[in-house]
Amino acid sequence: MNTTPFDPKQFRQALGAFTTGVTIVTTRGADAQDYGMTANSFNSVSIDPPMVLWSINKDSSSAQAFTEGAHFAVHILATDQEALSNRFAKSGADKFTGLNLQRGPSDIPLLEGCSARFQCKTTYQYEGGDHIILVGEVLAFDRFDKAPLVFHSGGYRRLQPAAAQRPTSAIYGENWLGFLLGRAYYQLQLPIRQQLQAMGMQDQDFELLGILSFSEGRTLDELFRLFEFTGKALAEEQLALWLQKGLLTLDSGRVLFTDKGRQLAIQWLAFAKAAEMNALEALAFDEAQQLKLLIGRVIQHTGSELPAHWRKENIWQDNNLWQQPDAIASAR
Ligand SMILES: Cc1cc2nc3c(=O)[nH]c(=O)nc-3n(C[C@H](O)[C@H](O)[C@H](O)COP(=O)(O)O)c2cc1C
């Protein structure tokens, strides 16, 4: 019987305003099976003695293993462990299949790749309505240098430095997204342009090389449309020159690189990768992923008249940009 004086859904939503990390808590059952679940009720309790707590739903299939177990381990998940979090948020099943495990006291399973990990002795248990509060004394812990996964309002989030959210006092032009993206683009391109220039290539050659590298195998018509999208027209003479130089070939109306052309494209790609690595030195791995994700969203939202053959989808998939911070169905 529901004794909540509020609408449980609204209550849960209000609780979701409290932003937490995400953990996976594991233990070993008396049946010699591994148990684990995603939990965000984790919290620190005491420094001396070192203690932590979390709460477990009495209805969860691993409740008995945790309440009877002498030890448990808490893993604070890293940003790239969203899939693992989802795996451990499903009831029962083989959650540990294929994972590399170490073992702690009472043989409890220890997971890898997290931000921090605590091996605990179960010291106290308290009644907490439909949950049991488990308090553990920390016997050992590990800290790994990985950014944490964040949970808020039923969805995964990423940490963002507060400074990045402060509105800048820069004049309008400098604060305009187009200016920032454009300036970043031209600065990124500069070393690539210089290296290609040193190889005797002209501006229009860079454009063609760049577009072809993403769109090899397009028809001439598609290629002209793609070029138009950059605000410039592709000169027929230039294409003819590339064909004449043996960089490109036409196969059933489709434009393909020759071996010589492909060598050039690979070289361009190497310059481009080096320029990207140099630029991303300014950012932590997570920040770089976040930047690509956010720019990806802007791209997805704009340019509706973009030719379909731009293969926008591939760019998302290659950069793993599909995932949005959607509400998770199984979220509490
Ligand atoms: C982000 C997140 C946090 C969660 N936190 C808790 C929690 O603190 N306690 C709990 O009992 N269940 C929590 N859950 C739900 C459990 O992970 C889920 O019920 C799981 O299926 C339990 O596994 P089991 O039934 O195999 O024991 C959480 C789920 C998510 C996605």
Side-chain angles (χ1 to χ4, degrees), residues 75 82 92 124 145 178 182 315 329:
H75 307 80
E82 213 174 291
Y124 301 105
D145 188 23
I315 299 177

Side-chain angles (χ1 to χ4, degrees), residues 38-41 55-57 60-62 89-92 95 332:
T38 302
N40 68 341
S41 54
S55 61
I56 183 167
N57 191 323
S60 70
S61 61
S62 39
K90 292 197 183 81
S91 194
K95 300 182 191 180
R332 327 165 59 206

Side-chain angles (χ1 to χ4, degrees), residues 12 42 65 100 131 141 215 223 256 272 311:
R12 220 182 312 212
F42 171 79
N100 280 337
H131 280 57
F141 71 93
S215 328
L223 208 58
L256 299 172
R311 293 197 287 186

Side-chain angles (χ1 to χ4, degrees), residues 252-275:
S252 317
R254 296 191 175 273
V255 185
L256 299 172
F257 280 123
T258 58
D259 285 349
K260 192 174 159 195
R262 195 175 309 284
Q263 281 301 320
L264 195 62
I266 290 170
Q267 208 158 11
W268 173 83
L269 201 68
F271 293 154
K273 269 284 156 202

Side-chain angles (χ1 to χ4, degrees), residues 129-266:
D130 52 15
H131 280 57
I132 293 168
I133 302 161
L134 293 168
V135 178
E137 183 181 343
V138 180
L139 305 177
F141 71 93
D142 302 283
R143 176 84 171 99
F144 306 102
D145 188 23
K146 295 194 80 175
L149 187 59
V150 175
F151 199 72
H152 175 83
S153 285
Y156 296 110
R157 308 280 186 249
R158 304 271 185 274
L159 267 192
Q160 209 177 335
Q165 290 159 359
R166 242 180 270 138
T168 67
S169 57
I171 53 167
Y172 172 72
E174 285 183 358
N175 200 23
W176 183 56
L177 182 63
F179 171 82
L180 293 169
L181 291 175
R183 173 140 190 181
Y185 172 73
Y186 288 118
Q187 287 189 195
L188 251 174
Q189 283 278 84
L190 193 63
I192 309 172
R193 290 164 60 102
Q194 285 167 343
Q195 286 171 96
L196 291 176
Q197 263 163 359
M199 289 166 58
M201 294 180 74
Q202 313 287 327
D203 270 4
Q204 61 269 32
D205 293 323
F206 314 155
E207 303 273 358
L208 184 57
L209 191 57
I211 287 187
L212 277 171
S213 300
F214 281 112
S215 328
E216 198 193 348
R218 302 287 132 197
T219 63
L220 278 173
D221 205 35
E222 288 173 336
L223 208 58
F224 279 105
R225 282 181 58 206
L226 275 176
F227 234 87
E228 243 168 62
F229 177 72
T230 68
K232 290 165 202 149
L234 171 59
E236 287 187 27
E237 307 81 64
Q238 192 200 353
L239 203 58
L241 194 67
W242 274 52
L243 286 163
Q244 197 189 321
K245 280 187 186 169
L247 294 168
L248 294 178
T249 168
L250 280 175
D251 183 5
S252 317
R254 296 191 175 273
V255 185
L256 299 172
F257 280 123
T258 58
D259 285 349
K260 192 174 159 195
R262 195 175 309 284
Q263 281 301 320
L264 195 62
I266 290 170

